[in-house]
Structure formats: C-alpha cells, structure tokens
C-alpha cells in the first residue's frame, strides 16, 4: 500500500499539463499532494505492525503518530474487528512465533537474543491485545510484545502482601485488560494451607507498576488449574462449589474493572466431573470444552456474555486420531480464514487442522516435540503501558511551549531595555 502511495505521489508530481496540438509542450507541473493527518492515520492503521515499525523512520510526525495512544488503540481495534494481523506463539521452553496466515508452509521463528536467554523456560500466563504475560522460574514475570520485540519485567509482589506465610505459593495466575481504567492487570491467587482461610488474591496494575490485595476468595470455592481465562473484562476459571454436603461445577470470575467476584452461568452439559471439562477462549468468546473420552469433544460457546440461555454447542470434534486417549487434551485454537477448518492442539504434541464438514484432519509439520500454542493479534501496545502519563504530557506540551515563547519574549525585551539604559548612561 505504501509503495502504491509513493508511486501515486511521484506520478502526480512529474505529470505534465495538457498540451496543444499546435503549440510546444508545456513544462512539467510542480504539484505537491497534501494528505490530511486523519487520512494518513486511516491508511496507516490498516498496515501490519512490521511495516508500521519501518514507517516510524519516515519522519518525526509519522513516528509521533504511530507511537501515539490514539493510533495504537485504533490499530488494535481495527485488527480485531477485521480479524487481521493474526499471529501464533509456539512455546517449548523457547518461544517461537509464526504468521498464522502462512502456518502450513512457514517455519517458526525463534525469539532473538537477549530475550531468548531472559525468557527461557517461560510459561504464558495469558495474552490480551497483542501483549503476553510470561512467568519464568528464575526471573519472575514479564510483559512481552512479540510483534514489536519489546519486553518489560514486572515488579514482584512485596513481602508484606504475601504474609502470613501459611499462604505457601501462588497456585493460579491470570492476565487481562481493564477497559474502564485503561490498564493491564495480573491476578495472582495464593493457595491457603488450611481450607478455612480462603484464597488470598493479589492484583498488579501496569499503570502503577505495583500490587495490591483484594478480598479473599471464599473457602467453599475449590479452584482447579493454574491459569485464568480472560474474556469480556474479567478473568475466569472452573471451580468446585461446595454448599453443605452438595457440590457442583461453576465458572468463577473476577471483574478487572471493579475488582469484584461473580459467578458465570454454566451451559447444560451432561458431565458433572470437572476433570472432563476445560475452559478456553475461542474466536474471542468464552468456551467450555466437554470431553467424552474415546468418543468426542463438544465445544460450547457463550454468544451473549453472562446470559445462561446464550450457551450453544459450536461444533464437535470426533475423529479417531484425535479422540484416542482417556486423558486427552484437545484445545481449539482458531478458525481458518474460510472458517471451514479449526486449528487444534492435541496432547501438547501435535497441531492439526480439523475440517468441520468432512471430519478430516491434517497434521502440521515442523513443530517441536512438546509445545503449547497461543493465538494472538499483533499490536503496537507497549509492555510499559501507561498511556495516561503520555496523554497528560501531550496535553501540557502546548502550554509549556506557550510559556517558553512568553519567556523568550520577556528576555528579549529585558535585553533591549538594558541596552537602552546603557546608551543613556
């Protein structure tokens, strides 16, 4: 698109005016085409991140535009709405990235140094708007944008929030976006030593680069798994809810905006065993996986978030080569471009395309032996996210510039007056 734009500009600048059939050819017209700033932003917002990073070198105005909070948000919004700029992270201790549109024929690209050493053996806690939150066993937590190749280490939780020490270790993490406060947050749930203590919950905000404690989770919710799932401004996970002598499976959520807890209604599934269920995000919606060992996997989706009747069975996976183990792990990752196939991660060992109509599979080659897959949308969102400070700084620039101009005029006047006094003396 940029090459066509530059070509168009060149043609306009060098074009000649119409010539008369009887007169000599006229001189080339010196025409300069000006684009309004909003039109330039509209064109650039349609480009992938890789090209936008190069466009930053065109001029200072372009660099300021691409780095501006408004443009970063507009770019990710358009990418999500148009389902473009899709990427895939492959992790097996080392992080790899691959363009989703060329997954079948592309070779995974290994993360560059020094991030390779820094983020080695890391686990993806969650991703949102192109940002990934990583947990490393030695170095702690990091926010990482694979598209811009930028990374930031997050502040560790202070020891006073980790007390009392009967809360042994963090048993669950989550990462998501708080749209109301325009902030990215990390949730850490600490497992109690005794059930009556309840779960201690800590939350980290990127804007303040600090942690704070939330109200304890009730002890009658037994959490399962290590990761929370982000959807619709909240983090979710499957729990076993115990009331008296009875227990049931429930979806528990923490709203990142108001930082309060709530339960999300479940679909009417057949199973009552939490080990035969899974919670994932698929096609930007909250999905429940219902495993029927040796038979099929049902994928349920909540079309209208928070509404129980909006749950519906999206599709079923029932190929023998996929459904072969009792302890199977089949996770849908994303649709193909024509939405006729689904990318599946099977037992952390294979990546397959599953055709929904023909019920056939196609295994993707050149994958590591054991790996995890994470689909994401490429963006310009910086890991050191704090656009409030940037916007306030931009708002104060005109005032500071006006103040500097007034100061220069005052200094010039004072020098003139001082010079006049010297002449009289």
């Amino acid at each position: 698109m940029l090459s066509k734009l530059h070509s168009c500009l060149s043609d306009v600048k060098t074009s000649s005016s119409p010539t008369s059939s009887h007169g000599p050819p006229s001189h080339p017209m010196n025409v300069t085409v000006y684009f309004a700033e909003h039109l330039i932003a509209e064109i650039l917002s349609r480009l992938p991140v890789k090209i936008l990073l190069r466009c930053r070198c065109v001029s200072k105005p372009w660099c300021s535009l691409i780095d501006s909070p408004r443009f970063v948000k507009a770019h990710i919004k358009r990418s999500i709405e148009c389902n473009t700029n899709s990427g895939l992270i492959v992790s097996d201790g080392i992080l790899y990235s691959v363009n989703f549109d060329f997954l079948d024929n592309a070779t995974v690209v290994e993360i560059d140094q020094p991030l390779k050493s820094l983020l080695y053996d890391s686990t993806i806690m969650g991703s949102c708007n192109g940002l990934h939150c990583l947990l490393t066993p030695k170095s702690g937590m990091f926010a990482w944008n694979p598209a811009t190749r930028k990374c930031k280490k997050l502040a560790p939780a202070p020891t006073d929030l980790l007390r009392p020490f009967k809360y042994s270790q963090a048993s669950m993490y989550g990462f998501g976006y708080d749209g109301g406060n325009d902030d990215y947050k990390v949730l850490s749930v600490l497992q109690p030593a005794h059930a009556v203590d309840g779960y201690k919950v800590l939350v980290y905000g990127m804007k303040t680069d600090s942690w704070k404690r939330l109200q304890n989770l009730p002890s009658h919710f037994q959490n399962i798994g290590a990761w929370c799932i982000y959807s619709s401004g909240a983090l979710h996970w499957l729990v076993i809810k115990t009331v008296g002598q009875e227990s049931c499976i429930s979806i528990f959520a923490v709203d990142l905006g108001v930082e309060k807890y709530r339960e999300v209604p479940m679909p009417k599934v057949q199973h009552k065993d939490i080990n035969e269920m899974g919670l994932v995000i698929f096609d930007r919606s909250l999905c429940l996986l219902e495993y029927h060992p040796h038979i099929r996997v049902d994928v349920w989706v909540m079309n209208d978030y928070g509404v129980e009747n909006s749950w519906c069975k999206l599709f079923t996976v029932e190929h023998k080569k996929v459904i072969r183990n009792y302890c199977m792990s089949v996770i849908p990752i994303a649709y193909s471009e024509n939405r006729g196939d689904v990318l599946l991660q099977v037992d952390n060992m294979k990546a397959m395309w599953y055709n929904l109509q023909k019920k056939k599979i196609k295994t993707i080659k050149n994958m590591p032996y054991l790996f995890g897959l994470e689909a994401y949308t490429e963006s310009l969102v910086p890991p050191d996210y704090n656009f409030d400070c940037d916007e306030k700084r931009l708002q104060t620039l005109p005032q500071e510039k006006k103040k500097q101009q007034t100061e220069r005029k005052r200094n010039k006047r004072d020098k003139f007056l001082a010079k006049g006094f010297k002449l009289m003396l």
Side-chain angles (χ1 to χ4, degrees), residues 350-353 361-365:
K350 291 183 179 180
M352 301 177 177
W353 285 113
I361 62 170
K362 178 184 177 182
T363 303
I364 298 174
K365 300 179 181 180

Side-chain angles (χ1 to χ4, degrees), residues 123-128 131-136 140-144 152-158 161 170-178 182-190 200-214 226-230 233-237 254-257 259 261 383 385:
T123 304
I124 299 178
M125 296 163 46
S127 62
C128 182
L131 275 187
H132 290 67
C133 189
L134 308 177
L135 179 65
T136 61
M141 286 185 289
F142 291 86
W144 173 52
K152 177 192 175 183
K153 184 175 182 180
L154 306 184
L161 288 182
S171 59
M172 187 166 55
Y173 290 100
F175 175 73
Y177 178 64
D178 173 9
D182 191 22
D183 196 7
Y184 289 86
K185 294 182 178 180
V186 178
L187 192 74
S188 177
V189 181
L190 303 178
K200 179 183 282 191
V201 182
L202 307 178
V203 64
Y204 166 89
M206 279 193 176
K207 279 188 175 181
T208 59
D209 193 28
S210 62
W211 293 80
K212 66 179 179 180
R213 182 177 175 181
L214 303 185
W227 314 115
C228 304
I229 305 300
Y230 173 77
L235 292 169
H236 308 75
W237 64 97
V254 175
D255 191 304
L256 294 177
E259 297 177 344
Y261 312 133
Y385 190 85

Side-chain angles (χ1 to χ4, degrees), residues 27-190:
H27 295 288
M29 294 178 61
N30 185 13
V31 179
T32 303
V33 178
Y34 294 94
F35 286 92
E37 184 178 350
H38 70 89
L39 183 57
I40 295 176
E42 188 70 17
I43 295 173
L44 293 178
S45 67
R46 287 168 162 78
L47 300 179
V49 174
K50 186 176 181 180
I51 296 179
L52 286 173
L53 295 178
R54 296 175 182 174
C55 290
R56 294 178 73 255
C57 303
V58 171
S59 64
K60 288 184 178 180
W62 277 35
C63 182
S64 299
L65 171 65
I66 294 171
D67 291 344
S68 66
R70 181 177 298 179
F71 182 84
V72 171
K73 294 175 183 177
H75 180 265
I76 184 63
K77 182 181 179 182
R78 179 178 293 277
S79 297
I80 291 174
E81 291 176 349
C82 301
N83 197 26
T84 57
N85 301 322
S86 299
L88 196 68
I89 297 298
V90 184
S91 58
D92 68 339
I94 299 175
L95 298 170
Y96 307 85
S97 62
V98 60
N99 189 305
F100 187 82
D101 297 330
F102 305 99
L103 180 59
D104 293 324
N105 302 317
T107 303
V108 293
V109 179
E110 189 174 326
I111 187 175
D112 298 333
Q113 293 284 12
L115 290 182
K116 178 181 176 181
S117 300
L118 185 66
L119 303 179
Y120 176 75
D121 201 23
S122 60
T123 304
I124 299 178
M125 296 163 46
S127 62
C128 182
N129 294 343
L131 275 187
H132 290 67
C133 189
L134 308 177
L135 179 65
T136 61
K138 294 183 179 180
S139 305
M141 286 185 289
F142 291 86
W144 173 52
N145 187 326
T148 61
R149 300 180 181 180
K150 292 184 179 181
C151 180
K152 177 192 175 183
K153 184 175 182 180
L154 306 184
T159 54
D160 59 330
L161 288 182
L162 298 176
R163 295 171 183 163
F165 293 106
K166 59 185 177 182
Y167 291 91
S168 55
Q169 58 183 357
S171 59
M172 187 166 55
Y173 290 100
F175 175 73
Y177 178 64
D178 173 9
N181 298 302
D182 191 22
D183 196 7
Y184 289 86
K185 294 182 178 180
V186 178
L187 192 74
S188 177
V189 181
L190 303 178

Side-chain angles (χ1 to χ4, degrees), residues 301-352:
V301 63
M302 180 179 268
N303 291 316
D304 190 2
Y305 181 77
V307 179
E308 183 177 2
N309 294 333
S310 68
W311 281 103
C312 69
K313 191 182 294 186
L314 189 62
F315 59 83
T316 297
V317 179
E318 47 186 353
H319 195 282
K320 291 182 178 179
K321 290 186 178 181
V322 178
I323 314 300
R324 67 184 188 279
N325 298 326
Y326 180 80
C327 299
M328 60 185 175
S329 172
V330 180
I331 302 174
I333 303 298
Y335 279 119
S336 62
E337 186 176 359
N338 61 9
R339 299 180 74 87
D341 300 89
V342 175
L343 178 64
L344 301 176
Q345 177 184 328
V346 182
D347 295 334
N348 295 329
M349 297 177 64
K350 291 183 179 180
M352 301 177 177

Side-chain angles (χ1 to χ4, degrees), residues 393-407:
R393 179 180 59 82
L394 291 173
Q395 291 174 0
T396 57
L397 280 178
Q399 299 177 0
E400 293 177 356
K401 187 175 181 180
K402 186 177 181 180
K403 185 177 180 181
Q404 291 174 359
Q405 291 177 349
T406 304
E407 189 69 24

